[in-house]
Amino acid sequence: MDKFLIQGGKALNGKVEISGAKNSALPCLAAALLTAETVTLHNVPYVKDLITQRRLLEDLGATVLTPELRTHKITAKNIETFQAPYELVKTMRASVLALGPLLARFGQARVSLPGGCAIGTRPIDLHLKAFEKLGATVELESGDVVARAPNGRLVGTDIEFEKVTVTGTENVMMAASLADGKTVIKNAACEPEIEDLAELMNRMGARIKGAGTDTLEIEGVEALGAAEHTIIPDRIETGTFIVAAAITGGEIEIARCNPDHLRAVIEKLGEAGVDIEELNPSTLSVKRSAGGLKAKDVITEPHPLFPTDMQAQYMALMTQAEGDSVIKETIFENRFMHASELIRMGANIAISGNEATVHGKTQLAGARILASDLRASASLVLAALCADGETMIDRVYHIDRGYESIVRKLRSLGANIERITESTASSADAG
Ligand code: EPZ
């Protein structure tokens, strides 16, 4: 298993370009299953989860051409099977995004029921209830979810999610796009990734209104067709690099981003003593304020409020801020695993239920630590970058799922980081 070896204490300076959003590319690749014509996606991030999603499409019978590393031309013309296999789903929950399109286009879908993961049980009950409301039958057969639309077509209806669910909203939006009649989704997720998916689907001929708000209206159509689309920048990678500048005391120019997609993060980090200047609509210049970092409380909530995917990175930053900050996690039930590793580096963090109180500023010291999930890994890399001495982070395959060429990008900013791999050097990160 790969490890990262990091010598901390160096300020990061220079320019970094943000990759495409993992959490938009995943549903957009799945949406290509809705048509037999070719869907071309640009700015697909070169990360493990997208390699997995591509394999899933190919296992189902689609062809995926990549004329350029980050351009995927998907043609789901000869779909031979409607089953997403367990071995793929167990490595990536987002495989469940195949359910909606397969059910919509072929009237059937079989996806291994995803297990929980490090950050929580992560059920998909809300997805399945919504499919049933669209007229599907949903059964559990030896660990697989088997969904069928009687006489092959779903029927539009009104759906209200009892809880905001990002992939639930995406799955139902895709299912409803080919249903008979109109579907209204209330309490829909408002994330930018939902808007990006809706933009792609409308280019394919879907009729979706309200994306980015909590109410979606989808007029079902007979069929969807070819489209070309560029994936939005990754707002969480953007937030992660803003923290990297602030936690190391450097100055970074962050290009190819979209500040409008992370207003709550920019506002909170601004309060906490990070100077964030918008040089143009797709470029930020960030550095720690002269007055230093200040402890500020934060609560994670659905978009447009502070995203849970930035909570771990924010906690690392708060270890370097003067004062006590309370971090409340309201989305997932077990998303503080990074805290114990930060404590091993010298952080002063007390956990009580879904609240973590960070007492800063504490000087962190390098240590051997373990990554547990994607965003926890990012948090530990950020902590290691500002710690005294050497840190070895194990199980960094977690970070490879959602950060493209993280070692190359950090080294280009002056970080002393290298990937220790047991096999050949990872091509994505050479150098
Ligand atoms: C998406 O996960 C993201 N993943 C997650 O990013 C992100 O943390 C999450 O949304 C919240 O913003 C992708 O988009 C691929 P949810 P998702 O359904 O859709 C509960 C990352 O780091 N729930 O919005 O799986 C659920 O348990 C990943 O990139 C149900 O109870 O999250 C959670 O408590 C991690 N039943 C809450 O709702 C359901 O049927 C929000 O989950 C569905 C969800």
Side-chain angles (χ1 to χ4, degrees):
M1 260 183 234
D2 287 8
K3 299 174 173 57
F4 285 167
L5 186 62
I6 297 171
Q7 300 295 337
K10 286 191 67 187
L12 300 193
N13 292 290
K15 180 174 177 180
V16 68
E17 290 195 346
I18 296 301
S19 299
K22 163 181 87 82
N23 290 349
S24 174
L26 286 168
C28 286
L29 256 74
L33 292 168
L34 287 164
T35 177
E37 297 180 27
T38 300
V39 173
T40 302
L41 299 173
H42 299 287
N43 201 33
V44 176
Y46 184 51
V47 296
K48 205 137 157 259
D49 273 6
L50 270 299
I51 294 167
T52 304
Q53 192 77 327
R54 170 184 177 163
R55 265 189 50 210
L56 171 60
L57 296 183
E58 289 171 332
D59 283 2
L60 294 170
T63 55
V64 182
L65 301 176
T66 43
E68 187 274 320
L69 188 61
R70 296 168 189 82
T71 294
H72 287 43
K73 293 175 88 73
I74 305 149
T75 310
K77 187 175 169 60
N78 308 312
I79 296 296
E80 296 131 8
T81 165
F82 312 113
Q83 175 163 2
Y86 175 71
E87 27 313 316
L88 278 183
V89 178
K90 79 170 190 281
T91 60
M92 187 189 63
R93 318 172 26 72
S95 317
V96 296
L97 285 165
L99 268 172
L102 289 173
L103 191 53
R105 183 164 160 223
F106 302 102
Q108 56 179 310
R110 187 182 186 114
V111 173
S112 160
L113 187 64
C117 71
I119 63 178
T121 52
R122 302 193 64 190
I124 59 166
D125 56 312
L126 301 177
H127 302 226
L128 304 181
K129 271 185 216 157
F131 290 145
E132 287 175 326
K133 287 211 70 179
L134 288 166
T137 60
V138 176
E139 264 103 35
L140 194 55
E141 285 174 25
S142 50
D144 289 348
V145 168
V146 182
R148 289 186 187 85
N151 50 62
R153 289 284 286 191
L154 296 171
V155 178
T157 185
D158 289 357
I159 289 165
E160 179 152 6
F161 280 119
E162 54 199 77
K163 230 173 138 166
V164 172
T165 163
V166 174
T167 49
T169 301
E170 291 162 349
N171 238 338
V172 176
M173 206 160 83
M174 291 189 281
S177 66
L178 294 175
D180 284 333
K182 178 177 177 178
T183 297
V184 176
I185 304 176
K186 287 207 170 64
N187 201 24
C190 311
E191 271 69 2
E193 292 77 24
I194 306 277
E195 290 185 80
D196 208 30
L197 174 62
E199 189 176 322
L200 163 64
M201 289 176 67
N202 284 339
R203 286 194 180 147
M204 293 166 68
R207 293 169 58 194
I208 301 168
K209 286 197 198 114
T213 75
D214 62 4
T215 304
L216 297 175
E217 287 189 13
I218 301 126
E219 284 289 349
V221 294
E222 270 307 303
L224 293 179
E228 189 155 4
H229 180 70
T230 298
I231 302 292
I232 54 173
D234 194 308
R235 60 193 167 100
I236 304 301
E237 185 189 20
T238 306
T240 305
F241 276 102
I242 295 175
V243 172
I247 206 169
T248 62
E251 183 160 356
I252 297 178
E253 187 177 304
I254 300 174
R256 293 167 59 94
C257 68
N258 185 334
D260 288 338
H261 292 165
L262 65 156
R263 285 291 166 211
V265 173
I266 289 172
E267 187 185 332
K268 179 56 67 179
L269 292 176
E271 288 168 17
V274 185
D275 289 344
I276 302 167
E277 188 192 345
E278 298 185 27
L279 301 182
N280 61 51
S282 62
T283 310
L284 297 173
S285 174
V286 299
K287 68 179 187 315
R288 187 190 300 168
S289 309
L293 298 172
K294 301 177 193 69
K296 291 292 176 186
D297 297 351
V298 75
I299 300 177
T300 66
E301 291 179 281
H303 195 78
L305 299 176
F306 193 92
T308 175
D309 290 350
M310 275 300 299
Q311 179 260 106
Q313 300 91 310
Y314 186 76
M315 187 183 288
L317 184 67
M318 286 299 100
T319 69
Q320 302 308 301
E322 291 300 338
D324 288 354
S325 54
V326 176
I327 298 172
K328 187 169 183 179
E329 172 58 58
T330 71
I331 307 294
F332 291 109
E333 66 268 29
N334 185 36
R335 202 170 197 177
F336 285 147
M337 301 218 289
H338 41 286
S340 52
E341 298 302 291
L342 293 173
I343 289 166
R344 292 186 59 242
M345 297 176 76
N348 180 338
I349 304 170
I351 307 282
S352 168
N354 69 343
E355 288 191 359
T357 302
V358 182
H359 176 79
K361 164 184 169 95
T362 52
Q363 180 52 53
L364 301 181
R368 285 210 62 155
I369 52 181
L370 214 47
S372 53
D373 60 82
L374 171 56
R375 306 303 172 181
S377 315
S379 168
L380 299 182
V381 168
L382 292 166
L385 289 170
C386 80
D388 272 345
E390 182 174 280
T391 298
M392 178 79 88
I393 305 177
D394 210 338
R395 298 187 185 167
V396 292
Y397 58 84
H398 289 293
I399 205 165
D400 291 331
R401 298 188 52 171
Y403 286 89
E404 180 175 335
S405 303
I406 183 80
V407 171
R408 179 173 56 75
K409 290 187 180 183
L410 287 172
R411 281 161 70 120
S412 73
L413 296 170
N416 186 333
I417 176 173
E418 64 176 304
R419 177 185 289 268
I420 314 282
T421 179
E422 272 99 38
S423 57
T424 51
S426 148
S427 58
D429 250 341

